[in-house]
Amino acid sequence: AQSVTQLDSQVPVFEEAPVELRCNYSSSVSVYLFWYVQYPNQGLQLLLKYLSGSTLVKGINGFEAEFNKSQTSFHLRKPSVHISDTAEYFCAVSEWNNDMRFGAGTRLTVKP
Amino acid sequence: GAGVSQTPSNKVTEKGKYVELRCDPISGHTALYWYRQSLGQGPEFLIYFQGTGAADDSGLPNDRFFAVRPEGSVSTLKIQRTERGDSAVYLCASSPGTGGAFFGQGTRLTVV
């Protein structure tokens, strides 16, 4: 079955600095990839997704991610973060049958 | 409704009791997922429905857990002989296909 590894459990960063949250996946077939965000005391919200086509995917709130098949990665980036980006971020992978699995999450803390 | 609805939002039960958690997916969504999320962790896959049938139930931890979706819409997650270790937030999500899933707010289950 497919699996996801989020390489950093916590990422502290200062406001207006760039950030990258790393995600690697494991699968023997073609995959769909997702990033979800969970703000404190809220539900999971879809941030962006890769289904096919361009490997650079843009999402909400200025986030983008790049699918790299050779490195089996789908890292999330933002060029300049805000305090309001403080949240838990989850990478997820789905195979052809839409069975979706999540990583353990990365807690992004943006400091003033 | 406009989104995925989960009821109840909170459930406190005594050890050994039986509980049912309900999920109303977005109308027309064929795929439905159940996950369990413990504090500080990512969503742990439990079961995935495609229509009325369970396409993958490999995440159910043991035979005390069971889920149904008899008419391909509403789903119920059933837990028998609850244990304190079952305490978590149980998340339901639905999807129309490959575009990612939409999550409900979850049911917080506390077993005392």
Side-chain angles (χ1 to χ4, degrees):
Chain A
Q2 70 276 38
S3 65
V4 175
T5 302
Q6 292 186 242
L7 299 163
D8 307 293
S9 60
Q10 297 188 56
V11 173
V13 64
F14 286 105
E15 194 174 18
E16 298 183 5
V19 70
E20 178 179 81
L21 307 184
R22 297 181 293 169
C23 171
N24 284 88
Y25 68 92
S26 174
S27 175
S28 58
V29 299
S30 295
V31 296
Y32 308 120
L33 294 156
F34 309 89
W35 276 98
Y36 284 82
V37 60
Q38 188 173 35
Y39 297 104
N41 300 314
Q42 294 190 28
L44 284 154
Q45 179 182 357
L46 182 64
L47 199 55
L48 50 76
K49 60 189 176 187
Y50 170 79
L51 304 181
S52 65
S54 173
T55 56
L56 183 63
V57 178
K58 294 188 183 298
I60 62 173
N61 301 339
F63 283 93
E64 63 181 33
E66 186 159 18
F67 169 56
N68 188 319
K69 187 175 181 179
S70 63
Q71 297 185 7
T72 60
S73 68
F74 191 56
H75 301 333
L76 181 70
R77 302 185 182 100
K78 186 169 183 178
S80 175
V81 294
H82 302 289
I83 297 288
S84 59
D85 292 323
T86 294
E88 191 86 21
Y89 292 80
F90 296 97
C91 182
V93 61
S94 176
E95 293 182 338
W96 62 273
N97 63 352
N98 301 325
D99 192 350
M100 191 164 60
R101 306 299 171 99
F102 283 80
T106 297
R107 180 172 298 278
L108 174 65
T109 303
V110 181
K111 305 175 181 179
Chain B
V4 178
S5 175
Q6 291 188 247
T7 54
S9 55
N10 280 283
K11 176 71 177 179
V12 180
T13 190
E14 292 181 348
K15 179 175 177 294
K17 298 290 188 183
Y18 168 82
V19 296
E20 289 190 352
L21 311 180
R22 178 187 169 102
C23 173
D24 281 89
I26 293 172
S27 179
H29 282 193
T30 55
L32 186 145
Y33 309 81
W34 283 101
Y35 294 87
R36 178 169 68 176
Q37 187 175 25
S38 299
L39 192 63
Q41 297 184 21
E44 174 194 3
F45 172 78
L46 296 177
I47 186 169
Y48 158 59
F49 287 91
Q50 187 64 250
T52 60
D56 185 348
D57 64 357
S58 62
L60 295 176
N62 51 59
D63 61 6
R64 295 187 298 106
F65 288 74
F66 190 71
V68 295
R69 194 186 186 199
E71 297 179 357
S73 179
V74 171
S75 177
T76 305
L77 179 65
K78 308 180 181 190
I79 310 174
Q80 298 178 322
R81 305 183 304 281
T82 51
E83 299 176 357
R84 292 195 178 88
D86 298 335
S87 296
V89 176
Y90 288 80
L91 299 171
C92 177
S94 70
S95 172
T98 56
F102 297 86
F103 281 80
Q105 292 297 305
T107 294
R108 182 176 300 277
L109 175 66
T110 304
V111 182
V112 298

